[in-house]
Amino acid sequence: MYLSRLILNERHPQARRDLGSGYAIHQSLRWAFPGAGEPGTPLPDGERVLWRNEGRGYLLVQSQTEPNWGALTERHPGYLETAETRLLHLSGVLTAGRHLRFRLQANPTVTRKDDRTGKPKRFALYGAREALAWLDRQGERGGFTVLRADILQTRTVCDRKPGSTRPLTLHAVTFDGLLQVEDPERLAHTVRQGIGHGKALGFGLLSLAGR
């Protein structure tokens, strides 16, 4: 697995447009993976690109295969100011009982019956207590226990899927805290696949670091 740190050139017209849309960023990032740049083309088998906008044009990008950022800058010359990629080793980090710092931008939701239609519908969890309980449940399923979590930021993300006229609104919550590894294999799977919905829009990347 690979972790890239990108700084987009905010003076570049394409980069400026992309920073206003999660879908657009995701589409541009796909140029770094063979055959995936053109809209509608798939990523390589088994690939799961997760990313998070850290602000001021700084992106973290996690991928299963090594990205070729040169292919992106060949498509959009001057798009990137810097691009650094390193291997991400989890095997030596994820040991049962270990405490790790984490950061996650997620879209906490719950699926309930919609009273108007009688059908299941996904609802955003806007309250801090509900969002933190949601995070605890993700940990139970994902191989970790949340020991401490703070909500750094909440915001509303509005976007539009390419080719669609229907606007999309997501509630974004950025968590920061400390977790304990319970099941290293399950947690490794969680890190690879991400957490929650909206991964193409920059949600779900679980970043871990030693204390």
Side-chain angles (χ1 to χ4, degrees):
M1 197 154 60
Y2 294 84
L3 183 67
S4 298
R5 299 173 188 273
L6 309 180
I7 297 180
L8 275 58
N9 178 1
E10 296 182 272
R11 298 181 301 280
H12 191 282
Q14 182 69 42
R16 280 203 308 273
R17 283 194 293 273
D18 286 358
L19 288 169
S21 165
Y23 278 122
I25 289 180
H26 190 76
Q27 184 58 48
S28 288
L29 296 178
R30 290 168 62 103
W31 283 100
F33 301 91
E38 294 291 347
T41 56
L43 287 162
D45 286 347
E47 182 56 81
R48 164 67 81 181
V49 178
L50 298 170
W51 61 274
R52 186 171 64 241
N53 185 347
E54 298 281 273
R56 299 185 177 182
Y58 173 36
L59 301 186
L60 283 177
V61 184
Q62 178 185 289
S63 58
Q64 305 302 304
T65 54
E66 185 173 9
N68 175 10
W69 298 117
L72 171 57
T73 54
E74 186 175 331
R75 173 72 179 181
H76 300 301
Y79 184 90
L80 295 177
E81 288 192 354
T82 64
E84 297 176 0
T85 299
R86 66 177 175 87
L87 269 171
L88 193 58
H89 296 288
L90 294 179
S91 57
V93 176
L94 303 185
T95 54
R98 184 171 182 184
H99 294 182
L100 297 169
R101 292 180 290 123
F102 72 90
R103 180 163 292 182
L104 168 72
Q105 176 179 263
N107 170 227
T109 62
V110 64
T111 300
R112 303 191 188 105
K113 188 173 79 172
D114 188 335
D115 291 338
R116 292 179 302 172
T117 65
K119 296 179 180 177
K121 183 179 177 182
R122 196 184 303 158
F123 293 90
L125 297 172
Y126 291 102
R129 182 177 299 177
E130 290 83 1
L132 291 168
W134 175 88
L135 182 62
D136 286 340
R137 293 194 294 276
Q138 303 309 308
E140 291 169 9
R141 287 197 287 266
F144 63 92
T145 297
V146 178
L147 300 177
R148 175 181 57 76
D150 298 315
I151 293 178
L152 295 186
Q153 183 187 54
T154 62
R155 62 193 177 99
T156 299
V157 174
C158 300
D159 212 320
R160 195 182 300 273
K161 199 170 183 177
S164 173
T165 57
R166 186 178 173 187
L168 181 66
T169 302
L170 295 178
H171 178 56
V173 180
T174 303
F175 300 99
D176 189 275
L178 186 69
L179 61 77
Q180 176 171 298
V181 181
E182 303 293 351
D183 184 328
E185 191 172 331
R186 264 199 299 154
L187 180 51
H189 178 79
T190 301
V191 171
R192 284 193 296 270
Q193 296 302 313
I195 293 178
H197 300 283
K199 297 184 179 75
L201 291 166
F203 295 85
L205 171 60
L206 178 63
S207 301
L208 301 175
R211 296 187 67 180

